[in-house]
Amino acid sequence: MVLSSCGLSKVVNLLRCSFDMDGITDITWAGVNLSNISSVSDLSINDLKSAAAAIKARDFHVGCNVKVNVKNSTPRDAKMIAYDYELLIDDASVATGSTDNQSFIIRPNTTTPIKVPIAIDLVKIFKNQEGELNSLVKFARNLKDYGNGDPSNVKIKFSPKFNVGKNVQKFPPFVLSKTVGNKE
């Protein structure tokens, strides 16, 4: 009974936590970190070789991390055992996923950053609606401050999972959003 009460307390505390999206980091393709690349001249010979090999293999999987901050303002621990996510750019869904192998303890009166690894399959986006591709291209420009006054609205639907006894349950998704790009 005490263990159940303790576990339930952590779930209730998780419900009381606040969630927000802090940013997008570590954008990679073909093993190349694109986060600090402003032009082709910023790429090394090895980066160009990796990109050429990826193009030859038709590998157009882009990865990034979305940083979600979980703030626990309660005096007790909160626990999340996993999460599901959906990433949307200008309301176009570009990636979904989940993790079931990592739990998080959010300590009292702290903010815990969670890096949500995102995998985007550009080939899938190219095959789908033109709007998704346009949203992704605009988003990429805005990440590098090339935005032309038309900012991208990035949302992540983040659904924390928790245990009730031996059953895994999940909260309805928290919709976290961030505007990327210039508003001029």
Side-chain angles (χ1 to χ4, degrees), residues 98-163:
S98 64
T99 182
D100 290 323
N101 58 359
Q102 186 177 10
S103 67
F104 303 89
I105 300 293
I106 299 92
R107 299 287 177 214
N109 300 307
T110 63
T111 299
T112 300
I114 297 173
K115 284 187 177 180
V116 180
I118 306 286
I120 300 171
D121 182 355
L122 294 179
V123 171
K124 178 183 164 196
I125 291 172
F126 290 142
K127 288 180 181 177
N128 289 339
Q129 298 177 358
E130 184 180 329
E132 290 176 1
L133 180 57
N134 289 336
S135 293
L136 193 62
V137 169
K138 182 176 72 166
F139 170 70
R141 281 195 326 249
N142 283 325
L143 279 178
K144 298 308 300 168
D145 293 324
Y146 298 144
N148 59 0
D150 193 10
S152 295
N153 185 18
V154 180
K155 293 180 187 173
I156 186 167
K157 292 182 179 179
F158 187 79
S159 301
K161 295 180 182 179
F162 57 94
N163 281 334

Side-chain angles (χ1 to χ4, degrees), residues 15-89:
L15 254 177
R16 294 178 178 158
C17 288
S18 61
F19 295 78
D20 74 315
M21 184 180 7
D22 189 27
I24 300 166
T25 62
D26 308 317
I27 302 163
T28 60
W29 171 64
V32 178
N33 188 336
L34 302 175
S35 299
N36 297 318
I37 304 294
S38 296
S39 71
V40 174
S41 65
D42 293 337
L43 295 168
S44 70
I45 295 295
N46 288 335
D47 293 341
L48 293 170
K49 286 180 183 178
S50 295
I55 291 169
K56 183 177 179 182
R58 297 183 180 173
D59 178 3
F60 296 100
H61 291 87
V62 174
C64 65
N65 288 313
V66 173
K67 186 176 167 188
V68 173
N69 288 326
V70 184
K71 184 177 182 181
N72 182 359
S73 299
T74 72
R76 294 201 169 89
D77 286 348
K79 183 176 181 181
M80 178 174 64
I81 64 162
Y83 57 81
D84 290 341
Y85 72 84
E86 179 181 13
L87 183 69
L88 298 102
I89 300 175

